[in-house]
Short mmCIF file of all heavy atoms in Angstrom, two decimals:
data_model
loop_
_atom_site.label_atom_id
_atom_site.label_comp_id
_atom_site.label_asym_id
_atom_site.label_seq_id
_atom_site.Cartn_x
_atom_site.Cartn_y
_atom_site.Cartn_z
N MET A 1 114.58 100.86 109.31
CA MET A 1 113.26 101.20 108.83
C MET A 1 113.26 101.34 107.31
O MET A 1 112.29 100.97 106.66
CB MET A 1 112.81 102.50 109.49
CG MET A 1 111.38 102.85 109.21
SD MET A 1 110.17 101.67 109.78
CE MET A 1 109.62 102.43 111.25
N ASN A 2 114.36 101.87 106.77
CA ASN A 2 114.45 102.00 105.32
C ASN A 2 114.46 100.63 104.64
O ASN A 2 113.92 100.48 103.55
CB ASN A 2 115.70 102.78 104.92
CG ASN A 2 115.53 104.26 105.17
OD1 ASN A 2 114.42 104.76 105.20
ND2 ASN A 2 116.64 104.95 105.37
N LEU A 3 115.07 99.67 105.30
CA LEU A 3 115.11 98.31 104.75
C LEU A 3 113.71 97.71 104.67
O LEU A 3 113.37 97.03 103.69
CB LEU A 3 116.02 97.42 105.60
CG LEU A 3 116.22 96.00 105.11
CD1 LEU A 3 116.90 96.02 103.74
CD2 LEU A 3 117.03 95.21 106.10
N VAL A 4 112.88 97.99 105.66
CA VAL A 4 111.49 97.50 105.66
C VAL A 4 110.72 98.12 104.51
O VAL A 4 109.99 97.42 103.80
CB VAL A 4 110.81 97.80 107.02
CG1 VAL A 4 109.34 97.45 106.98
CG2 VAL A 4 111.51 97.07 108.14
N ILE A 5 110.88 99.42 104.30
CA ILE A 5 110.19 100.09 103.20
C ILE A 5 110.66 99.53 101.86
O ILE A 5 109.85 99.27 100.97
CB ILE A 5 110.43 101.62 103.25
CG1 ILE A 5 109.72 102.20 104.46
CG2 ILE A 5 109.95 102.31 101.99
CD1 ILE A 5 108.22 102.12 104.39
N GLN A 6 111.95 99.31 101.72
CA GLN A 6 112.48 98.77 100.46
C GLN A 6 111.94 97.36 100.21
O GLN A 6 111.60 97.01 99.08
CB GLN A 6 114.00 98.75 100.49
CG GLN A 6 114.61 100.12 100.39
CD GLN A 6 116.12 100.09 100.49
OE1 GLN A 6 116.71 99.05 100.78
NE2 GLN A 6 116.74 101.24 100.27
N LEU A 7 111.83 96.57 101.25
CA LEU A 7 111.29 95.22 101.12
C LEU A 7 109.82 95.27 100.73
O LEU A 7 109.37 94.54 99.82
CB LEU A 7 111.48 94.44 102.42
CG LEU A 7 110.94 93.02 102.44
CD1 LEU A 7 111.70 92.17 101.43
CD2 LEU A 7 111.04 92.44 103.83
N LEU A 8 109.04 96.13 101.37
CA LEU A 8 107.61 96.25 101.05
C LEU A 8 107.40 96.75 99.62
O LEU A 8 106.53 96.23 98.90
CB LEU A 8 106.93 97.20 102.05
CG LEU A 8 106.68 96.64 103.45
CD1 LEU A 8 106.20 97.75 104.37
CD2 LEU A 8 105.71 95.49 103.42
N VAL A 9 108.18 97.71 99.21
CA VAL A 9 108.05 98.23 97.84
C VAL A 9 108.46 97.17 96.83
O VAL A 9 107.81 97.03 95.78
CB VAL A 9 108.86 99.54 97.68
CG1 VAL A 9 108.93 99.96 96.22
CG2 VAL A 9 108.24 100.65 98.52
N SER A 10 109.50 96.41 97.15
CA SER A 10 109.91 95.34 96.24
C SER A 10 108.82 94.29 96.10
O SER A 10 108.52 93.83 94.99
CB SER A 10 111.19 94.68 96.75
OG SER A 10 112.24 95.60 96.77
N LEU A 11 108.22 93.89 97.22
CA LEU A 11 107.12 92.94 97.17
C LEU A 11 105.94 93.51 96.38
O LEU A 11 105.29 92.79 95.61
CB LEU A 11 106.66 92.58 98.58
CG LEU A 11 107.60 91.70 99.39
CD1 LEU A 11 107.11 91.59 100.83
CD2 LEU A 11 107.75 90.34 98.76
N LEU A 12 105.67 94.78 96.55
CA LEU A 12 104.58 95.43 95.83
C LEU A 12 104.83 95.45 94.33
O LEU A 12 103.94 95.16 93.54
CB LEU A 12 104.39 96.85 96.37
CG LEU A 12 103.17 97.62 95.89
CD1 LEU A 12 101.89 96.90 96.28
CD2 LEU A 12 103.18 99.01 96.49
N VAL A 13 106.06 95.74 93.93
CA VAL A 13 106.40 95.76 92.51
C VAL A 13 106.31 94.36 91.91
O VAL A 13 105.76 94.17 90.83
CB VAL A 13 107.81 96.38 92.31
CG1 VAL A 13 108.30 96.14 90.90
CG2 VAL A 13 107.78 97.86 92.63
N ILE A 14 106.83 93.38 92.62
CA ILE A 14 106.80 92.00 92.11
C ILE A 14 105.36 91.51 91.98
O ILE A 14 104.97 90.94 90.95
CB ILE A 14 107.63 91.07 93.02
CG1 ILE A 14 109.10 91.40 92.89
CG2 ILE A 14 107.37 89.61 92.69
CD1 ILE A 14 109.98 90.73 93.92
N LEU A 15 104.54 91.76 93.00
CA LEU A 15 103.14 91.34 92.94
C LEU A 15 102.39 92.10 91.85
O LEU A 15 101.54 91.52 91.17
CB LEU A 15 102.47 91.53 94.29
CG LEU A 15 101.03 91.02 94.41
CD1 LEU A 15 100.96 89.53 94.09
CD2 LEU A 15 100.49 91.30 95.80
N SER A 16 102.71 93.37 91.65
CA SER A 16 102.07 94.14 90.58
C SER A 16 102.39 93.57 89.21
O SER A 16 101.50 93.45 88.36
CB SER A 16 102.52 95.61 90.64
OG SER A 16 102.11 96.21 91.84
N ILE A 17 103.64 93.20 88.99
CA ILE A 17 104.03 92.61 87.71
C ILE A 17 103.31 91.27 87.49
O ILE A 17 102.81 91.00 86.39
CB ILE A 17 105.56 92.45 87.63
CG1 ILE A 17 106.22 93.82 87.56
CG2 ILE A 17 105.96 91.60 86.44
CD1 ILE A 17 107.72 93.81 87.73
N ILE A 18 103.24 90.48 88.55
CA ILE A 18 102.53 89.20 88.43
C ILE A 18 101.06 89.42 88.10
O ILE A 18 100.49 88.73 87.24
CB ILE A 18 102.69 88.39 89.73
CG1 ILE A 18 104.13 87.92 89.88
CG2 ILE A 18 101.73 87.21 89.77
CD1 ILE A 18 104.45 87.32 91.23
N LEU A 19 100.43 90.39 88.74
CA LEU A 19 99.01 90.67 88.47
C LEU A 19 98.80 91.25 87.08
O LEU A 19 97.81 90.92 86.42
CB LEU A 19 98.44 91.60 89.54
CG LEU A 19 98.18 90.97 90.90
CD1 LEU A 19 97.81 92.04 91.91
CD2 LEU A 19 97.12 89.90 90.82
N VAL A 20 99.70 92.12 86.64
CA VAL A 20 99.56 92.72 85.31
C VAL A 20 99.64 91.66 84.22
O VAL A 20 98.94 91.73 83.21
CB VAL A 20 100.64 93.82 85.10
CG1 VAL A 20 100.80 94.18 83.64
CG2 VAL A 20 100.28 95.05 85.89
N VAL A 21 100.45 90.65 84.44
CA VAL A 21 100.56 89.57 83.45
C VAL A 21 99.49 88.50 83.68
O VAL A 21 98.86 88.03 82.74
CB VAL A 21 101.97 88.95 83.50
CG1 VAL A 21 102.05 87.72 82.62
CG2 VAL A 21 103.02 89.97 83.10
N GLY A 22 99.28 88.14 84.93
CA GLY A 22 98.42 87.00 85.24
C GLY A 22 96.94 87.22 85.05
O GLY A 22 96.23 86.32 84.58
N VAL A 23 96.42 88.38 85.41
CA VAL A 23 94.98 88.61 85.32
C VAL A 23 94.49 88.60 83.87
O VAL A 23 93.51 87.91 83.56
CB VAL A 23 94.58 89.90 86.07
CG1 VAL A 23 93.14 90.28 85.80
CG2 VAL A 23 94.80 89.73 87.56
N PRO A 24 95.14 89.31 82.95
CA PRO A 24 94.66 89.23 81.56
C PRO A 24 94.78 87.83 80.96
O PRO A 24 93.91 87.41 80.19
CB PRO A 24 95.56 90.22 80.80
CG PRO A 24 96.04 91.16 81.82
CD PRO A 24 96.16 90.37 83.08
N VAL A 25 95.84 87.10 81.32
CA VAL A 25 95.98 85.74 80.81
C VAL A 25 94.86 84.87 81.35
O VAL A 25 94.27 84.05 80.63
CB VAL A 25 97.37 85.17 81.18
CG1 VAL A 25 97.44 83.68 80.93
CG2 VAL A 25 98.45 85.89 80.43
N THR A 26 94.53 85.05 82.62
CA THR A 26 93.45 84.27 83.23
C THR A 26 92.11 84.60 82.58
O THR A 26 91.31 83.70 82.29
CB THR A 26 93.38 84.56 84.74
OG1 THR A 26 94.63 84.21 85.33
CG2 THR A 26 92.28 83.77 85.40
N LEU A 27 91.87 85.87 82.33
CA LEU A 27 90.60 86.27 81.72
C LEU A 27 90.51 85.83 80.26
O LEU A 27 89.41 85.56 79.77
CB LEU A 27 90.42 87.79 81.83
CG LEU A 27 90.19 88.31 83.24
CD1 LEU A 27 90.18 89.83 83.23
CD2 LEU A 27 88.90 87.78 83.82
N ALA A 28 91.63 85.76 79.57
CA ALA A 28 91.61 85.40 78.15
C ALA A 28 91.54 83.89 77.93
O ALA A 28 91.11 83.44 76.88
CB ALA A 28 92.85 85.94 77.46
N SER A 29 91.94 83.11 78.91
CA SER A 29 91.93 81.66 78.76
C SER A 29 90.52 81.12 79.01
O SER A 29 89.89 81.46 80.00
CB SER A 29 92.89 81.02 79.76
OG SER A 29 94.19 81.50 79.56
N PRO A 30 90.03 80.29 78.11
CA PRO A 30 88.69 79.75 78.29
C PRO A 30 88.61 78.83 79.52
O PRO A 30 89.40 77.92 79.68
CB PRO A 30 88.43 78.95 77.02
CG PRO A 30 89.64 79.03 76.19
CD PRO A 30 90.66 79.85 76.89
N GLY A 31 87.66 79.12 80.39
CA GLY A 31 87.43 78.30 81.56
C GLY A 31 88.35 78.53 82.72
O GLY A 31 88.15 77.97 83.80
N GLN A 32 89.37 79.35 82.57
CA GLN A 32 90.33 79.57 83.64
C GLN A 32 89.81 80.51 84.72
O GLN A 32 90.25 80.44 85.86
CB GLN A 32 91.65 80.11 83.09
CG GLN A 32 92.47 79.08 82.37
CD GLN A 32 92.94 77.98 83.29
OE1 GLN A 32 93.28 78.21 84.44
NE2 GLN A 32 92.94 76.76 82.80
N TRP A 33 88.89 81.39 84.36
CA TRP A 33 88.39 82.36 85.34
C TRP A 33 87.71 81.66 86.50
O TRP A 33 87.91 82.01 87.65
CB TRP A 33 87.47 83.37 84.69
CG TRP A 33 86.84 84.28 85.68
CD1 TRP A 33 85.52 84.37 85.99
CD2 TRP A 33 87.50 85.24 86.52
NE1 TRP A 33 85.33 85.31 86.97
CE2 TRP A 33 86.53 85.85 87.32
CE3 TRP A 33 88.83 85.61 86.69
CZ2 TRP A 33 86.83 86.83 88.25
CZ3 TRP A 33 89.13 86.59 87.62
CH2 TRP A 33 88.14 87.18 88.38
N GLU A 34 86.90 80.67 86.20
CA GLU A 34 86.18 79.96 87.26
C GLU A 34 87.14 79.23 88.19
O GLU A 34 86.90 79.13 89.38
CB GLU A 34 85.18 78.97 86.65
CG GLU A 34 84.08 79.64 85.85
CD GLU A 34 83.28 80.62 86.68
OE1 GLU A 34 83.03 80.35 87.87
OE2 GLU A 34 82.92 81.69 86.14
N LYS A 35 88.24 78.73 87.65
CA LYS A 35 89.21 78.00 88.47
C LYS A 35 90.08 78.95 89.29
O LYS A 35 90.47 78.63 90.41
CB LYS A 35 90.11 77.14 87.58
CG LYS A 35 89.39 76.03 86.86
CD LYS A 35 90.36 75.29 85.97
CE LYS A 35 89.64 74.24 85.15
NZ LYS A 35 90.53 73.59 84.19
N SER A 36 90.41 80.10 88.73
CA SER A 36 91.40 81.00 89.35
C SER A 36 90.80 82.23 90.01
O SER A 36 91.54 83.10 90.46
CB SER A 36 92.40 81.46 88.28
OG SER A 36 93.00 80.36 87.66
N LYS A 37 89.48 82.31 90.08
CA LYS A 37 88.83 83.50 90.61
C LYS A 37 89.26 83.81 92.04
O LYS A 37 89.61 84.96 92.37
CB LYS A 37 87.32 83.33 90.53
CG LYS A 37 86.54 84.51 90.96
CD LYS A 37 85.06 84.41 90.65
CE LYS A 37 84.47 83.06 90.87
NZ LYS A 37 83.01 83.05 90.72
N ASN A 38 89.28 82.81 92.91
CA ASN A 38 89.65 83.04 94.31
C ASN A 38 91.11 83.45 94.44
O ASN A 38 91.45 84.30 95.27
CB ASN A 38 89.40 81.78 95.14
CG ASN A 38 87.93 81.52 95.33
OD1 ASN A 38 87.11 82.43 95.28
ND2 ASN A 38 87.59 80.25 95.52
N LEU A 39 91.98 82.87 93.63
CA LEU A 39 93.39 83.24 93.66
C LEU A 39 93.60 84.69 93.22
O LEU A 39 94.38 85.44 93.82
CB LEU A 39 94.21 82.30 92.79
CG LEU A 39 95.71 82.57 92.72
CD1 LEU A 39 96.34 82.41 94.10
CD2 LEU A 39 96.37 81.63 91.73
N VAL A 40 92.87 85.10 92.19
CA VAL A 40 92.99 86.49 91.70
C VAL A 40 92.48 87.46 92.75
O VAL A 40 93.14 88.47 93.05
CB VAL A 40 92.22 86.66 90.37
CG1 VAL A 40 92.12 88.12 89.99
CG2 VAL A 40 92.89 85.87 89.26
N TYR A 41 91.33 87.16 93.35
CA TYR A 41 90.79 88.06 94.38
C TYR A 41 91.69 88.12 95.61
O TYR A 41 91.89 89.19 96.20
CB TYR A 41 89.38 87.63 94.78
CG TYR A 41 88.34 87.94 93.75
CD1 TYR A 41 87.24 87.11 93.60
CD2 TYR A 41 88.43 89.05 92.93
CE1 TYR A 41 86.27 87.39 92.65
CE2 TYR A 41 87.47 89.34 91.99
CZ TYR A 41 86.38 88.50 91.85
OH TYR A 41 85.41 88.78 90.93
N THR A 42 92.27 87.00 95.99
CA THR A 42 93.19 86.99 97.13
C THR A 42 94.45 87.80 96.82
O THR A 42 94.92 88.57 97.67
CB THR A 42 93.58 85.54 97.48
OG1 THR A 42 92.40 84.79 97.75
CG2 THR A 42 94.51 85.48 98.67
N SER A 43 94.98 87.66 95.61
CA SER A 43 96.17 88.42 95.21
C SER A 43 95.89 89.91 95.20
O SER A 43 96.73 90.71 95.64
CB SER A 43 96.64 87.97 93.84
OG SER A 43 96.97 86.62 93.84
N ILE A 44 94.70 90.30 94.73
CA ILE A 44 94.34 91.72 94.72
C ILE A 44 94.21 92.23 96.15
O ILE A 44 94.63 93.36 96.47
CB ILE A 44 93.06 91.93 93.91
CG1 ILE A 44 93.35 91.66 92.42
CG2 ILE A 44 92.51 93.34 94.10
CD1 ILE A 44 92.12 91.63 91.55
N GLY A 45 93.64 91.43 97.04
CA GLY A 45 93.54 91.82 98.45
C GLY A 45 94.89 92.01 99.09
O GLY A 45 95.11 92.95 99.86
N ILE A 46 95.82 91.11 98.79
CA ILE A 46 97.19 91.24 99.31
C ILE A 46 97.84 92.50 98.75
O ILE A 46 98.54 93.22 99.47
CB ILE A 46 98.01 89.98 98.98
CG1 ILE A 46 97.47 88.79 99.77
CG2 ILE A 46 99.49 90.19 99.27
CD1 ILE A 46 98.06 87.46 99.36
N TRP A 47 97.61 92.80 97.46
CA TRP A 47 98.18 93.99 96.84
C TRP A 47 97.66 95.25 97.54
O TRP A 47 98.44 96.15 97.87
CB TRP A 47 97.82 94.02 95.36
CG TRP A 47 98.47 95.13 94.61
CD1 TRP A 47 99.70 95.13 94.04
CD2 TRP A 47 97.91 96.43 94.36
NE1 TRP A 47 99.93 96.35 93.45
CE2 TRP A 47 98.86 97.16 93.63
CE3 TRP A 47 96.69 97.03 94.68
CZ2 TRP A 47 98.62 98.47 93.22
CZ3 TRP A 47 96.47 98.32 94.29
CH2 TRP A 47 97.43 99.03 93.56
N VAL A 48 96.36 95.31 97.77
CA VAL A 48 95.78 96.47 98.46
C VAL A 48 96.34 96.59 99.87
O VAL A 48 96.68 97.69 100.33
CB VAL A 48 94.23 96.38 98.48
CG1 VAL A 48 93.62 97.41 99.40
CG2 VAL A 48 93.67 96.52 97.08
N GLY A 49 96.46 95.47 100.56
CA GLY A 49 97.05 95.49 101.90
C GLY A 49 98.49 95.99 101.89
O GLY A 49 98.88 96.77 102.76
N LEU A 50 99.27 95.55 100.90
CA LEU A 50 100.65 96.03 100.80
C LEU A 50 100.71 97.53 100.54
O LEU A 50 101.58 98.23 101.08
CB LEU A 50 101.39 95.29 99.69
CG LEU A 50 102.00 93.95 100.04
CD1 LEU A 50 102.54 93.27 98.79
CD2 LEU A 50 103.10 94.11 101.05
N VAL A 51 99.81 98.04 99.71
CA VAL A 51 99.78 99.48 99.43
C VAL A 51 99.50 100.25 100.72
O VAL A 51 100.16 101.24 101.04
CB VAL A 51 98.74 99.82 98.35
CG1 VAL A 51 98.50 101.31 98.26
CG2 VAL A 51 99.19 99.27 97.00
N ILE A 52 98.51 99.80 101.49
CA ILE A 52 98.14 100.49 102.73
C ILE A 52 99.25 100.40 103.76
O ILE A 52 99.64 101.41 104.38
CB ILE A 52 96.81 99.93 103.26
CG1 ILE A 52 95.68 100.30 102.31
CG2 ILE A 52 96.53 100.44 104.67
CD1 ILE A 52 94.37 99.61 102.61
N VAL A 53 99.81 99.20 103.95
CA VAL A 53 100.88 99.03 104.94
C VAL A 53 102.12 99.83 104.56
O VAL A 53 102.73 100.48 105.41
CB VAL A 53 101.23 97.53 105.10
CG1 VAL A 53 102.50 97.32 105.89
CG2 VAL A 53 100.08 96.80 105.77
N THR A 54 102.46 99.83 103.28
CA THR A 54 103.61 100.61 102.82
C THR A 54 103.38 102.10 103.05
O THR A 54 104.29 102.81 103.50
CB THR A 54 103.88 100.34 101.33
OG1 THR A 54 104.09 98.94 101.14
CG2 THR A 54 105.11 101.10 100.85
N GLY A 55 102.19 102.57 102.77
CA GLY A 55 101.89 103.99 103.01
C GLY A 55 101.94 104.37 104.47
O GLY A 55 102.47 105.43 104.84
N VAL A 56 101.41 103.52 105.33
CA VAL A 56 101.41 103.81 106.77
C VAL A 56 102.83 103.80 107.32
O VAL A 56 103.24 104.70 108.06
CB VAL A 56 100.52 102.81 107.52
CG1 VAL A 56 100.73 102.89 109.02
CG2 VAL A 56 99.06 103.02 107.17
N ILE A 57 103.61 102.80 106.96
CA ILE A 57 104.98 102.74 107.46
C ILE A 57 105.82 103.87 106.88
O ILE A 57 106.68 104.43 107.56
CB ILE A 57 105.60 101.35 107.16
CG1 ILE A 57 104.89 100.30 108.01
CG2 ILE A 57 107.09 101.34 107.44
CD1 ILE A 57 105.35 98.89 107.79
N ASN A 58 105.56 104.23 105.63
CA ASN A 58 106.30 105.32 105.00
C ASN A 58 106.00 106.66 105.66
O ASN A 58 106.84 107.57 105.64
CB ASN A 58 106.01 105.39 103.50
CG ASN A 58 106.98 106.24 102.75
OD1 ASN A 58 108.13 106.33 103.13
ND2 ASN A 58 106.52 106.87 101.69
N SER A 59 104.84 106.79 106.27
CA SER A 59 104.50 108.05 106.92
C SER A 59 105.34 108.28 108.19
O SER A 59 105.44 109.41 108.66
CB SER A 59 103.01 108.09 107.27
OG SER A 59 102.73 107.15 108.29
N PHE A 60 105.96 107.24 108.72
CA PHE A 60 106.80 107.39 109.90
C PHE A 60 108.23 107.79 109.55
O PHE A 60 109.00 108.13 110.44
CB PHE A 60 106.83 106.08 110.70
CG PHE A 60 105.51 105.75 111.31
CD1 PHE A 60 104.82 104.61 110.94
CD2 PHE A 60 104.92 106.58 112.27
CE1 PHE A 60 103.61 104.28 111.50
CE2 PHE A 60 103.70 106.26 112.82
CZ PHE A 60 103.04 105.12 112.44
N ILE A 61 108.59 107.73 108.29
CA ILE A 61 109.95 108.09 107.85
C ILE A 61 109.97 109.55 107.46
O ILE A 61 109.13 110.03 106.72
CB ILE A 61 110.40 107.20 106.68
CG1 ILE A 61 110.51 105.76 107.15
CG2 ILE A 61 111.74 107.68 106.13
CD1 ILE A 61 110.91 104.81 106.06
N ILE A 62 110.96 110.25 107.96
CA ILE A 62 111.06 111.69 107.67
C ILE A 62 111.85 111.89 106.41
O ILE A 62 112.76 111.27 106.06
CB ILE A 62 111.74 112.44 108.84
CG1 ILE A 62 110.87 112.29 110.07
CG2 ILE A 62 112.00 113.88 108.49
CD1 ILE A 62 111.44 112.88 111.32
#
């Protein structure tokens, strides 16, 4: 179970770093927002899902 939590947290950290770098670059680039809007929203949805799943699974660990 600890391995699952470590994997989820690692994925969350990696996705967070990608979003912290990628979203401002996308917003600052002319014309890129219209092309990448769905990808950004999907990535944010996955991030929120990872936060919720990690929290729920972490609640089962004593």
